[in-house]
């Protein structure tokens, strides 16, 4: 971002149109930040591409990119009309500029660049992960600092959110993201796409104690995650079943879901201890925010709630429409950066990988390649 003269306390309200296209949701939203920092979502629209990808059992980047391009202008018009505003009412245009599928990311980013260039208003190039990190602030005041667990199809990370633009990563997945673990085990059992919600439905009637699955990284300290071993163990159990039926599906779904929930809670509890060490003077309850599509899973929420209560934290989960990918969180990140005078140049690149915690990226020069990259 380019640093302009900081506008620490903007005298008037700022309104930003945000666009999102980094995975398989195309979205637009308009967010207003009042002079006192209060946030209003004036319009918010999301188009899911689930049906386009379902035949392939996963997101196909080329299909996603093309579908995003087709709807960016439609969504832009829709949110302007829903909010009863025109382009000239906007103070800036925000778009996710990474991390994500680059072909898709370009759809929102190029649209926002066009709008910024045409209107002479600033561009805000937003890190998608920062959007998720700030999403609890869409519904009300969640004060900094807070602990954040981001669990989606592309990311599984524990972060300390200190302020807008100031994040410290405590841990991330060494291989698959939690959502990927749900999706891949659902695929093994033929439950359809997207797998997470399908697996949760199946697990409702299952016996979580029937199959013995390993707790990931049971003997390893720290706040990192790993889900690839769990997926392999589930596949071996599935392949060993003779003519598996819906009872087997339900029991394996329940076992996998319980172990993912337990692992997320176990690593989050370690992060809560680390958070307390960083902020020993902050009064309980401290805030523990969970965001991302997997936060919609009730077994996961229950396990996280339990860990939070045991450690003097309060679990805060944004409503599910703002847990999954959306543009309100991108417009919010945009308006917050605009209020601080941090805008982007029109040469802002679309980035496949982009760590939220710049310090940890610098300390780890291998980051940016392989599964343990910032997208992980
Ligand atoms: O945040 P999100 O919408 O998109 C990104 O990946 O950024 O998260 C999607 C992920 C998918 O892996 C999906 O299977 C998972 O969240 N998910 C769930 C549930 N709902 C969505 N996983 C488990 N249980 C659910 N109810
Ligand atoms: Zn996301």
């Amino acid at each position: 971002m380019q640093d302009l003269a900081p506008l620490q306390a903007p005298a008037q309200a700022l309104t930003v149109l945000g666009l999102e296209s980094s995975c398989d949701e195309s979205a637009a939203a308009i967010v207003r930040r009042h002079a006192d920092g209060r946030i209003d979502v004036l319009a918010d629209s999301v188009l899911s591409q689930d049906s386009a990808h379902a035949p392939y059992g996963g997101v196909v980047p080329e299909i996603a990119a093309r579908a995003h391009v087709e709807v960016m202008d439609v969504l832009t018009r829709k949110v302007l009309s829903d909010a009863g505003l025109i382009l000239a009412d906007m103070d800036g245009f925000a778009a996710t500029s990474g991390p994500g599928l680059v072909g898709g990311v370009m759809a929102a980013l190029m649209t926002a660049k066009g709008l910024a260039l045409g209107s002479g208003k600033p561009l805000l190039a937003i890190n998608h992960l920062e959007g998720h990190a700030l999403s609890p602030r869409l519904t009300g005041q969640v004060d900094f600092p807070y602990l954040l667990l981001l669990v989606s199809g592309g990311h599984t990370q524990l972060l300390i959110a200190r302020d807008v633009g100031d994040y410290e990563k405590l841990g991330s997945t060494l291989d698959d993201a939690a959502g990927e673990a749900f999706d891949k085990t659902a695929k093994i059992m033929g439950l359809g796409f997207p797998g997470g919600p399908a697996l949760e439905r199946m697990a409702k009637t299952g016996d979580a104690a029937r199959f013995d699955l390993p707790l990931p990284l049971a003997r390893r300290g720290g706040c990192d995650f790993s889900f690839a071993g769990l997926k392999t163990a589930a596949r071996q159990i599935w392949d060993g079943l003779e003519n598996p039926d819906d009872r087997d599906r339900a029991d394996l779904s329940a076992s996998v879901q319980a172990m993912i929930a337990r692992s997320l809670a176990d690593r989050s509890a370690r992060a809560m201890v680390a958070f307390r060490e960083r902020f020993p003077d902050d009064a309980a309850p401290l805030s523990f925010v969970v965001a991302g599509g997997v936060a919609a899973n009730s077994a996961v929420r229950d396990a996280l709630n339990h860990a939070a209560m045991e450690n003097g934290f309060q679990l805060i989960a944004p409503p599910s429409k703002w847990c999954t990918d959306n543009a309100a969180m991108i417009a919010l990140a945009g308006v917050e950066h605009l209020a601080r005078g941090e805008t982007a140049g029109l040469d802002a690149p679309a980035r496949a990988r982009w760590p939220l915690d710049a310090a940890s990226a610098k300390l780890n020069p291998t980051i940016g390649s392989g599964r343990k990259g910032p997208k992980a």
Side-chain angles (χ1 to χ4, degrees), residues 128 132 152 155 325 329:
H128 179 84
H132 279 301
S152 67
H155 327 285
D325 284 351
M329 66 184 194

Side-chain angles (χ1 to χ4, degrees), residues 32-365:
R32 178 164 292 160
R33 183 190 193 276
H34 297 274
D36 61 3
R38 257 181 323 112
I39 296 296
D40 273 332
V41 181
L42 304 183
D44 168 39
S45 188
V46 181
L47 286 176
S48 168
Q49 304 175 353
D50 278 355
S51 56
H53 300 291
Y56 306 94
V59 177
V60 184
E62 289 75 13
I63 293 177
R66 223 169 300 151
H68 287 309
V69 169
E70 278 166 19
V71 297
M72 277 297 129
D73 58 339
V74 180
L75 284 167
T76 301
R77 272 197 208 100
K78 174 165 170 29
V79 290
L80 284 168
S81 137
D82 288 353
L85 296 172
I86 57 170
L87 281 177
D89 295 323
M90 300 299 116
D91 295 300
F93 296 94
T96 293
S97 68
L101 302 169
V102 166
V105 170
M106 281 172 62
L109 185 58
M110 296 307 286
T111 306
K113 282 183 182 180
L115 291 167
L117 188 62
S119 65
K121 301 283 175 63
L123 172 74
L124 295 313
I126 301 303
N127 184 317
H128 179 84
L129 301 174
E130 178 166 41
H132 279 301
L134 296 179
S135 62
R137 293 166 62 86
L138 282 167
T139 39
Q141 198 59 36
V142 180
D143 289 331
F144 293 114
Y146 52 83
L147 180 65
L148 174 84
L149 172 66
L150 174 55
V151 268
S152 67
H155 327 285
T156 300
Q157 309 197 340
L158 278 157
L159 296 159
I160 294 177
R162 295 175 192 274
D163 200 350
V164 173
D166 185 3
Y167 309 94
E168 177 186 346
K169 188 163 81 178
L170 297 178
S172 66
T173 185
L174 304 176
D175 39 58
D176 289 347
E180 248 178 313
F182 273 111
D183 293 340
K184 287 179 177 173
T185 42
K187 195 172 179 184
I188 290 168
M189 293 182 273
L191 300 185
F193 174 85
L199 190 145
E200 180 173 22
R201 276 194 299 279
M202 207 60 184
K204 281 196 169 42
T205 55
D207 171 9
R210 175 169 160 205
F211 296 113
D212 203 15
L213 289 165
L215 175 68
L217 304 179
R219 262 173 270 175
R220 184 168 159 156
C223 302
D224 284 337
F225 300 87
S226 167
F227 294 105
L230 191 58
K231 174 199 65 191
T232 306
R235 175 182 290 285
Q236 279 167 354
I237 289 172
W238 182 253
D239 289 347
L241 293 169
E242 233 171 88
N243 301 322
D245 58 14
D246 273 355
R247 163 96 346 250
D248 298 315
R249 279 191 185 87
D251 291 346
L252 189 54
S253 294
S255 307
V256 167
Q257 176 176 271
M259 199 47 78
I260 293 175
R262 192 172 147 200
S263 173
L264 291 171
D266 169 59
R267 312 312 281 186
S268 299
R270 292 167 193 271
M272 289 175 202
V273 174
F275 187 98
R276 273 198 177 289
E277 283 168 8
R278 303 278 202 294
F279 305 100
D281 300 331
D282 284 17
L286 302 164
S287 298
F288 172 46
V289 173
V290 57
V294 177
N297 183 286
S298 14
V300 168
R301 280 193 194 220
D302 288 350
L304 296 178
N305 198 27
H306 187 72
M309 286 195 312
E310 278 199 329
N311 288 281
F313 279 72
Q314 186 192 3
L315 180 69
I316 298 169
S320 59
K321 70 170 177 170
W322 287 330
C323 269
T324 53
D325 284 351
N326 66 85
M329 66 184 194
I330 303 304
L332 170 63
V335 85
E336 292 289 5
H337 281 290
L338 182 60
R340 285 160 177 76
E342 299 160 356
T343 62
L346 287 175
D347 56 350
R351 301 163 72 164
R353 295 179 181 274
W354 184 4
L356 194 49
D357 172 348
S360 88
K362 231 179 252 170
L363 282 175
N364 181 359

